[in-house]
Amino acid sequence: MRLILLGAPGAGKGTQAGFIKDKFNIPQISTGDMLRAAVKAGTPLGIAAKKIMDEGGLVSDDIIIGLVKDRLKEPDCAKGYLFDGFPRTIPQADAMKEAGVAIDYVLEIDVPDEAIVERMSGRRVHPASGRTYHVKFNPPKVAGKDDLTGEELIQRDDDKEETVKKRLSVYHEQTEVLVGYYNQWAASGQPGAPKYRKIAGVGPVDQIRDSAFAALSG
């Protein structure tokens, strides 16, 4: 099972990625993790990436694709792999295609913006324990207070409505084009084209999980 997960920030990709990894016994490929590991190990690509990052630059797609190709040679990728958060742009998707990175499925988790804003901006956190609540879906017993300690809950900066809306607009501008890109490729019938599947990412988590598994079995 070799797949790419697509969806807006807050669509629940991380949660579903966990279920998919466990079911198919495949690793989740995170470009951030790969970069950190390569820098730490002092590989040629890691050294090149560190130099760019130390200068405050963005690591090039060529280096990222090189890291991806190296990562996919590792034994834990024998049964497949899951990409979440990569590719983010058409050039990255093209580079993956040119590098011959095989993809069986592209799974899009579709959640309307207003549902994501409600989901993220309603989150409240107890900083000391990491316990999370939601003002609507999972409220604390006493508004604004942790159930166990009675301490104040906070809203993380990442969860503030304006931050969420900004991240969504970046997604729509930069990454949403991949939906069309993979859709067209899947419909082309070309050799090596992935299957494209879209599921609704609203509702109970296990219902979404079952939709994802069903989408990946046909």
Side-chain angles (χ1 to χ4, degrees), residues 3 5-24 26 28 82-85 107 109 111 119-120 123 132 156 199-210 212-213 216:
L3 81 152
L5 267 186
L6 288 182
K13 296 192 302 297
T15 303
Q16 296 307 320
F19 293 136
I20 292 166
K21 274 167 45 190
D22 292 346
K23 179 174 173 65
F24 295 102
I26 54 175
Q28 185 170 347
L82 183 157
F83 285 101
D84 167 20
L107 179 65
I109 301 178
V111 181
R119 191 183 279 181
M120 308 270 284
R123 276 187 198 157
T132 57
R156 288 184 300 221
I199 62 167
V202 285
V205 168
D206 48 0
Q207 184 183 310
I208 301 165
R209 176 201 63 201
D210 293 345
F213 289 169
L216 297 173

Side-chain angles (χ1 to χ4, degrees), residues 36-68:
R36 285 186 285 276
V39 168
K40 193 175 173 189
T43 67
L45 286 171
I47 291 164
K50 186 176 188 310
K51 185 172 184 292
I52 294 163
M53 291 191 290
D54 287 349
E55 291 165 1
L58 280 174
V59 178
S60 71
D61 289 347
D62 288 348
I63 290 178
I64 298 283
I65 295 293
L67 288 171
V68 166

Side-chain angles (χ1 to χ4, degrees), residues 171-183:
Y171 169 77
H172 291 310
E173 280 168 33
Q174 294 179 4
T175 307
E176 199 173 26
V177 288
L178 291 173
V179 168
Y181 176 95
Y182 284 113
N183 236 320

Side-chain angles (χ1 to χ4, degrees), residues 7 15 19 32 35 45-46 58 72 92 108 125 127 131 138 146 170 175 194 205:
T15 303
F19 293 136
L35 265 175
L45 286 171
L58 280 174
L72 299 186
Q92 287 177 348
E108 179 194 352
V125 181
R131 276 188 290 278
N138 177 31
D146 178 55
V170 170
T175 307
V205 168

Side-chain angles (χ1 to χ4, degrees), residues 1-194:
M1 176 56 67
R2 302 166 296 191
L3 81 152
I4 292 170
L5 267 186
L6 288 182
K13 296 192 302 297
T15 303
Q16 296 307 320
F19 293 136
I20 292 166
K21 274 167 45 190
D22 292 346
K23 179 174 173 65
F24 295 102
N25 193 21
I26 54 175
Q28 185 170 347
I29 308 294
S30 151
T31 49
D33 290 348
M34 283 189 310
L35 265 175
R36 285 186 285 276
V39 168
K40 193 175 173 189
T43 67
L45 286 171
I47 291 164
K50 186 176 188 310
K51 185 172 184 292
I52 294 163
M53 291 191 290
D54 287 349
E55 291 165 1
L58 280 174
V59 178
S60 71
D61 289 347
D62 288 348
I63 290 178
I64 298 283
I65 295 293
L67 288 171
V68 166
K69 286 165 75 176
D70 285 352
R71 177 69 183 85
L72 299 186
K73 288 175 190 156
E74 291 182 26
D76 64 339
C77 291
K79 290 183 177 175
Y81 36 81
L82 183 157
F83 285 101
D84 167 20
F86 186 82
R88 285 183 194 274
T89 62
I90 297 286
Q92 287 177 348
D94 279 338
M96 271 180 79
K97 201 194 260 190
E98 282 158 25
V101 175
I103 300 294
D104 302 313
Y105 284 94
V106 177
L107 179 65
E108 179 194 352
I109 301 178
D110 181 41
V111 181
D113 280 9
E114 58 272 21
I116 289 176
V117 171
E118 182 181 44
R119 191 183 279 181
M120 308 270 284
S121 64
R123 276 187 198 157
R124 298 294 182 271
V125 181
H126 178 240
S129 67
R131 276 188 290 278
T132 57
Y133 301 85
H134 193 283
V135 292
K136 180 176 175 185
F137 304 123
N138 177 31
K141 293 187 183 100
V142 177
K145 307 281 185 191
D146 178 55
D147 284 353
L148 297 186
T149 64
E151 291 167 356
E152 289 288 328
L153 300 176
I154 63 155
Q155 183 184 36
R156 288 184 300 221
D157 287 344
D158 272 0
D159 293 336
K160 290 188 170 150
E161 188 167 331
E162 59 271 28
T163 311
V164 175
K165 285 181 170 170
K166 198 177 286 179
R167 287 176 68 203
L168 284 170
S169 78
V170 170
Y171 169 77
H172 291 310
E173 280 168 33
Q174 294 179 4
T175 307
E176 199 173 26
V177 288
L178 291 173
V179 168
Y181 176 95
Y182 284 113
N183 236 320
Q184 285 173 340
W185 187 19
S188 72
Q190 292 169 352

